[in-house]
Amino acid sequence: MTENAQQQPSAPNTELPTQYAPAEVEETLYDRWVDRGYFAADAKSDKPAYTIVIPPPNVTGSLHLGHAFQHTLMDALTRRKRMQGFEALWLPGMDHAGIATQNKVEQQLAEEGKSRQDLGREEFVDRVWQWKEEYGGKILGQMRRLGDGVDWDRERFTMDEGLSKAVQTIFKKLYEDELIYRAERIINWCPRCLTAISDIEVEYQEDDGELVSIKYGEGEETLVVATTRAETMLGDTAVAVHPDDERYRHLVGKRIKLPLTDRTIPVVADTHVDPEFGTGAVKVTPAHDPNDFAIGQRHDLESITVMDERAVITVHGPFQGLDRFEARSAIVAALRSQGRIVAEKRPYVHSVGHCSRCETTIEPRLSMQWWVKVGPLAQAAGDAVRDGRVAIHPADMSKRYFDWVDNMHDWCISRQLWWGHRIPVWYGPEGEVVCVGPDEEPPGGEGWTQDSDVLDTWFSSGLWPFSTLGWPEQTEDLRKFYPTDVLLTGHDIIFFWVARMMMFGLYAMDGEVPFRTIALTGLVRDERGKKMSKSFGNVVDPLDWMDKYGSDAVRFTLARGANPGTDVPIGEEWVQASRNFANKIWNATRFALINGATIEGPLPAPSAMSATDRWILSRLNKTVAQVDAFYDDFQFAKLSDALFHFAWDEVFDWYVELSKTTFQAGGEAAEVSKRVLGEVLDVTLKLLHPVVPFVTETLWTTLTGGESVVIAEWPKDSGFRDADAERELEALQSVITEVRRFRHDQGLQPGQRVPARLTLDGTALAPHEAAIRQLLRLQPEGEAFTATATLPVAGAEVALDLSGTIDVAAERKRLAKDLAAAEKEKAQANAKLGNEAFLSKAPDNVVEKIRTRLAKAEEDITRIQAQLDRLPSA
């Protein structure tokens, strides 16, 4: 059916500890895997390549459940491909995380009473590197704990020498192709981080604010404008109305007095204005609003900046030096005192942008910045998905991708930070601008200075799929492992990262896509489906669960919840259930070893096997095919569920239990079943290994004597199917399940023995009498046997003598009481559902509850009546 391993097995060690202790199993295995080079990929190999690059975690980060979730899935993909014979590369690394890391070091300096300005740029950057060496990369050690099968020899960092060269190379290429330019535009400015941030780094939330309506102008030449940001009126350079608005046509072209200032401003006509919204007139502040900036460009308006980088007012004496929010209150008070406040609305709930890094309210600000002209790059990124070169999974996520790339604005890539890739542009004393490539000397001489800004973190991480493989050099790694096969990441960073990699990959690699499949996952939530947040108090450190239940249990729980693109709820009780599953695997393998299960020699011919043996091999092959199909469709939840139910329900609960009878009887049948059980466990452990690597490694090497399941061959579906055996075992399961249910209903203890007569002649169950009696605790009928209950199941008949085990009269009385209660419940539900007055007034959810009660009562009546019918007369 399958080869047992790529290496010759040694004699298996048949001893396992009686208890499964994850910490003892997991502690040494990972280092052994790394030391033996199992995760190292060879660019010179003739094997087909399979590549995944890890979404680089921030150097400031530590392992959280979201990381554990995605890493589990990526690890499962690469472990399986490695077992399938691919040269599998899972490339690790970290992102320098410009703003986040700089903030960390600035906080550290603040505790020392210092600022970065005290150190100067060069010394501050040295300090950040020191911090990175001391504190950064905590997550890398935690990845080992999780079992990540990454190639540590290829670990990269977005600020290492090779990736820095890639950044400088592509910047110059884009610059020379006129796809990078410098311009003064409205940007999102964070007054806390003191830097520009891109649109996708702004998080919008509903804030309580105020909406004030202000009268501009004097006498008949007045207009009323409404604003939530009164402080920006100090920078107004026009009022705009719609050109077709008859109310204001007489004012267009005139100048009106701007309150609180000594300036007059024009009234302009612009189609951007919605005449139906508010008063139909809007204040225009080109230096502090993107729409106003566009109006200003169209009408050649002056742009007046009224705040500094910390959002402190810099103009107009009475308000100069005030924070923007202090100025807002002061300006409204001043306008009110002049009678210019026409209306005030508080609270006024509206959407306000906040910095995703520090949650400070964003301030739109006119600023000279560097930009990527994204039009042609975004077009190529969209076309690669539309023409099928890149598949998005699940497919319905494509719409979100297209919504972004088809409507992308030019990307502001400069950041006013010191930590990051410094923009490779020099300015000369006569206004010269020179972009310098990685192998070029910057211009020298007096008056030349380098641009002080650094690049957006997403600029360097956008190069990740090819820069990590050595680009711009044409390395063996790049030739072997590019394009990568799968990008597995959360749907929440389609805009941040996925689109950037698509644009840069297609551009830098001559139209070659960076990955063939984008597999999008959901986000991990708590067991109630609530977002995990420190403020909610529901954040879980996965290391705590690993300490308590083992890494395999955490991994299996996460994988079992991983439906494509769908958020994943997780609770501790589910991790505990996965630990129980690992215990079950352990105990079943231990039983097999004690009873002589083996993988030695070929499988016996089907004709030499029992129906039970043929059934489990048929189910095994179906499971192999099913798991492969689910892997290829990124259905991790379904493949995990299929493995769970096959292993627990069919192998452990049925085949292992049925084998006990065979092993006790001994003989040739037992020898055949020992080989079949060995085969089933061999394959099952291999199938489980990518998701639960630690326990399967221990059990597989013990069972087979092989070197490691990491390098064992992935199981193949042999095509073996036996429909007759499956039908026969289905009948056997029906008999055992039905009799067990009856025993439970009658209150019999699981181990309590009951005399029984089995009528199996002429059915497929005849060979299974010994197993049926053993599993059901049925002893042979004696001379005084009286059939007090008869159960016809699957063409057979099981007659039980309960005279010595239960009080029939008392049992009938109990059941009759339960039946009466169920019938009363049914009558009450029917009465309500038959009452038109009730149905017309009751809410839908109440009516639905009544219908559910009725269905439950009818089900109980059927069940109880069947129990009564099976009992002998009192």
Side-chain angles (χ1 to χ4, degrees):
M1 177 175 293
T2 60
E3 293 185 23
N4 297 310
Q6 294 172 326
Q7 65 275 19
Q8 288 294 322
S10 59
N13 172 15
T14 58
E15 293 186 6
L16 281 173
T18 56
Q19 296 287 327
Y20 168 51
E24 295 174 14
V25 169
E26 296 170 1
E27 187 173 1
T28 58
L29 283 183
Y30 190 84
D31 287 340
R32 186 192 309 165
W33 290 334
V34 173
D35 291 345
R36 292 180 178 178
Y38 293 156
F39 305 142
D42 183 2
K44 296 183 173 65
S45 168
D46 293 332
K47 297 178 183 178
Y50 182 82
T51 316
I52 294 180
V53 291
I54 208 165
N58 288 352
V59 69
T60 58
S62 60
L63 190 72
H64 57 64
L65 275 174
H67 289 126
F69 172 53
Q70 291 182 359
H71 288 206
T72 293
L73 306 187
M74 286 184 278
D75 195 33
L77 290 172
T78 48
R79 283 179 183 270
R80 171 177 174 255
K81 285 294 182 180
R82 192 177 291 116
M83 295 172 75
Q84 286 182 315
F86 285 78
E87 196 62 41
L89 169 61
W90 186 18
L91 193 148
M94 291 185 298
D95 192 288
H96 66 280
I99 295 176
T101 307
Q102 179 157 319
N103 282 348
K104 287 278 189 184
V105 178
E106 289 198 80
Q107 289 167 12
Q108 195 179 59
L109 287 173
E111 292 172 2
E112 301 170 13
K114 298 177 183 177
S115 70
R116 60 174 161 137
Q117 285 77 17
D118 294 332
L119 270 66
R121 183 169 193 142
E122 186 174 342
E123 189 177 343
F124 176 78
V125 171
D126 286 343
R127 180 72 175 259
V128 182
W129 276 108
Q130 291 171 22
W131 182 93
K132 185 258 181 187
E133 293 304 316
E134 186 173 355
Y135 300 104
K138 177 182 179 183
I139 196 171
L140 298 178
Q142 295 168 335
M143 285 165 56
R144 302 170 74 94
R145 177 74 186 280
L146 187 65
D148 285 5
V150 296
D151 187 344
W152 291 110
D153 291 339
R154 285 181 167 85
E155 180 191 338
R156 303 305 300 269
F157 179 54
T158 50
M159 290 275 287
D160 69 28
E161 184 178 350
L163 269 65
S164 295
K165 181 177 182 180
V167 168
Q168 203 170 347
T169 299
I170 201 164
F171 186 99
K172 176 152 190 180
K173 180 174 169 60
L174 288 162
Y175 181 82
E176 291 178 344
D177 288 345
E178 298 183 349
L179 293 172
I180 280 183
Y181 63 94
R182 191 169 185 244
E184 192 174 44
R185 299 267 186 88
I186 294 287
I187 48 91
N188 303 298
W189 181 265
C190 177
R192 160 64 183 78
C193 297
L194 299 180
T195 182
I197 63 174
S198 64
D199 291 345
I200 52 179
E201 292 171 300
V202 178
E203 292 183 351
Y204 287 90
Q205 61 189 50
E206 297 297 307
D207 285 0
D208 286 345
E210 61 179 351
L211 180 68
V212 293
S213 297
I214 309 168
K215 183 173 67 175
Y216 281 29
E218 303 289 350
E220 295 183 0
E221 296 183 350
T222 61
L223 287 165
V224 175
V225 300
T227 182
T228 58
R229 300 167 67 216
E231 68 280 6
T232 63
M233 67 168 291
L234 301 176
D236 286 359
T237 54
V239 172
V241 298
H242 194 277
D244 297 333
D245 194 331
E246 294 291 342
R247 294 172 294 175
Y248 306 120
R249 183 165 290 178
H250 68 289
L251 292 177
V252 174
K254 293 186 177 181
R255 300 184 72 86
I256 61 174
K257 181 78 165 50
L258 177 65
L260 305 183
T261 73
D262 57 3
R263 292 192 292 117
T264 61
I265 57 176
V267 178
V268 299
D270 196 280
T271 55
H272 170 74
V273 180
D274 180 0
E276 302 298 323
F277 184 77
T279 64
V282 298
K283 61 191 286 298
V284 182
T285 320
H288 291 278
D289 183 274
N291 294 320
D292 293 4
F293 179 77
I295 294 173
Q297 294 287 97
R298 289 193 289 272
H299 297 276
D300 197 25
L301 300 175
E302 183 183 4
S303 294
I304 301 175
T305 299
V306 299
M307 294 178 220
D308 67 11
E309 62 183 9
R310 298 184 185 274
V312 172
I313 301 298
T314 57
V315 298
H316 201 70
F319 312 109
Q320 192 168 358
L322 293 180
D323 170 80
R324 54 183 164 165
F325 300 123
E326 296 171 335
R328 181 177 299 172
S329 298
I331 287 170
V332 170
L335 291 167
R336 191 184 298 114
S337 69
Q338 294 183 8
R340 289 191 172 273
I341 300 296
V342 176
E344 297 180 68
K345 184 176 181 181
R346 294 190 189 88
Y348 179 71
V349 179
H350 61 135
S351 181
V352 177
H354 294 257
C355 174
S356 62
R357 306 290 182 182
C358 68
E359 300 185 0
T360 301
T361 300
I362 288 300
E363 191 61 45
R365 187 168 188 253
L366 185 63
S367 179
M368 182 68 75
Q369 301 286 343
W370 285 94
W371 305 79
V372 171
K373 183 179 179 181
V374 300
L377 302 175
Q379 175 71 43
D383 289 346
V385 175
R386 287 190 172 94
D387 63 24
R389 283 175 288 157
V390 176
I392 292 181
H393 190 90
D396 59 10
M397 285 284 180
S398 299
K399 183 180 184 302
R400 294 187 66 189
Y401 176 79
F402 291 132
D403 284 347
W404 179 252
V405 297
D406 293 347
N407 300 287
M408 196 182 296
H409 301 297
D410 282 4
W411 172 20
C412 177
I413 56 171
S414 45
R415 298 290 180 269
Q416 289 64 56
L417 305 171
W418 288 354
W419 172 246
H421 296 281
R422 194 164 176 181
I423 289 174
V425 171
W426 271 256
Y427 305 110
E430 304 299 324
E432 304 96 328
V433 179
V434 176
C435 181
V436 177
D439 299 318
E440 301 169 352
E441 288 293 325
E446 188 175 347
W448 283 91
T449 58
Q450 185 178 357
D451 195 298
S452 61
D453 289 349
V454 301
L455 288 163
D456 179 8
T457 295
W458 298 102
F459 189 95
S460 52
S461 59
L463 316 181
W464 190 252
F466 53 93
S467 64
T468 52
L469 296 172
W471 188 89
E473 307 302 326
Q474 294 304 305
T475 63
E476 285 186 328
D477 277 1
L478 198 63
R479 286 190 291 270
K480 178 73 175 180
F481 297 112
Y482 190 91
T484 67
D485 289 87
V486 177
L487 171 72
L488 190 144
T489 191
H491 62 65
D492 55 323
I493 59 171
I494 290 178
F495 320 128
F496 288 91
W497 193 45
V498 178
R500 312 291 192 216
M501 287 188 290
M502 286 286 282
M503 291 191 302
F504 282 166
L506 290 160
Y507 173 75
M509 299 301 291
D510 299 320
E512 186 70 78
V513 297
F515 24 74
R516 298 183 177 94
T517 301
I518 302 168
L520 296 170
T521 70
L523 309 178
V524 177
R525 296 181 176 271
D526 71 13
E527 64 268 29
R528 295 178 183 86
K530 194 173 184 179
K531 180 181 178 181
M532 287 193 173
S533 165
K534 289 181 180 177
S535 61
F536 295 155
N538 62 350
V539 173
V540 174
D541 184 345
L543 294 175
D544 291 342
W545 282 351
M546 290 183 203
D547 289 340
K548 197 169 183 180
Y549 304 110
S551 298
D552 283 335
V554 174
R555 289 172 62 116
F556 192 70
T557 305
L558 290 165
R560 206 171 174 195
N563 290 298
T566 304
D567 288 350
V568 183
I570 184 171
E572 185 169 1
E573 66 274 18
W574 303 337
V575 183
Q576 189 171 5
S578 295
R579 161 65 193 273
N580 294 343
F581 179 52
N583 283 339
K584 191 80 169 179
I585 303 169
W586 184 274
N587 292 333
T589 307
R590 187 168 178 273
F591 164 84
L593 290 167
I594 291 171
N595 285 278
T598 180
I599 63 161
E600 294 179 8
L603 277 172
S607 59
M609 296 180 189
S610 67
T612 306
D613 293 331
R614 297 196 307 276
W615 163 74
I616 196 62
L617 291 177
S618 182
R619 293 295 307 132
L620 177 67
N621 277 283
K622 284 184 177 179
T623 301
V624 171
Q626 193 177 33
V627 167
D628 276 334
F630 286 145
Y631 261 116
D632 292 341
D633 199 33
F634 303 98
Q635 297 280 0
F636 295 99
K638 290 182 178 179
L639 73 88
S640 299
D641 216 44
L643 285 169
F644 175 87
H645 287 295
F646 172 72
W648 192 305
D649 299 346
E650 298 184 298
V651 178
F652 308 151
D653 278 359
W654 285 109
Y655 187 71
V656 167
E657 290 302 312
L658 290 168
S659 296
K660 291 178 180 177
T661 307
T662 308
F663 292 155
Q664 286 174 5
E668 183 60 29
E671 296 305 312
V672 170
S673 289
K674 289 176 184 178
R675 179 65 187 89
V676 171
L677 180 55
E679 181 76 9
V680 170
L681 286 175
D682 172 31
V683 173
T684 302
L685 291 169
K686 288 176 183 174
L687 292 174
L688 284 165
H689 173 72
V691 180
V692 284
F694 293 105
V695 68
T696 51
E697 171 79 342
T698 301
L699 295 177
W700 187 86
T701 53
T702 304
L703 173 73
T704 68
E707 180 185 335
S708 172
V709 70
V710 176
I711 54 172
E713 185 174 338
W714 183 253
K716 296 183 179 68
D717 174 13
S718 71
F720 178 79
R721 302 289 190 274
D722 194 321
D724 291 339
E726 292 201 37
R727 281 191 293 271
E728 184 172 325
L729 265 292
E730 185 179 343
L732 176 60
Q733 291 168 344
S734 296
V735 169
I736 292 172
T737 301
E738 186 64 24
V739 177
R740 278 177 174 165
R741 184 182 297 119
F742 178 77
R743 288 176 57 107
H744 176 268
D745 290 342
Q746 304 310 315
L748 297 177
Q749 294 301 312
Q752 190 171 353
R753 292 197 164 272
V754 177
R757 177 191 298 136
L758 306 185
T759 306
L760 308 176
D761 292 345
T763 72
L765 297 172
H768 301 285
E769 179 168 354
I772 293 171
R773 286 189 176 278
Q774 179 167 318
L775 292 176
L776 292 173
R777 305 294 190 269
L778 302 180
Q779 63 191 40
E781 56 188 294
E783 292 183 4
F785 178 83
T786 301
T788 58
T790 302
L791 285 72
V793 188
E797 188 175 272
V798 179
L800 303 173
D801 182 355
L802 305 178
S803 57
T805 56
I806 63 170
D807 183 336
V808 175
E811 185 65 14
R812 276 191 167 277
K813 186 177 180 180
R814 183 184 70 81
L815 290 172
K817 183 179 178 181
D818 290 347
L819 182 61
E823 287 174 336
K824 182 179 178 181
E825 176 75 2
K826 176 182 177 181
Q828 290 175 340
N830 272 326
K832 286 189 176 182
L833 293 174
N835 185 337
E836 290 298 330
F838 170 77
L839 292 176
S840 64
K841 295 178 181 178
D844 290 346
N845 65 316
V846 172
V847 175
E848 187 57 37
K849 283 183 180 178
I850 300 298
R851 290 197 176 108
T852 301
R853 282 171 52 193
L854 175 61
K856 175 68 166 54
E858 290 174 336
E859 182 183 308
D860 288 345
I861 290 168
T862 301
R863 175 180 55 79
I864 296 167
Q865 190 61 60
Q867 290 176 240
L868 280 166
D869 292 343
R870 288 168 180 160
L871 283 174
S873 300

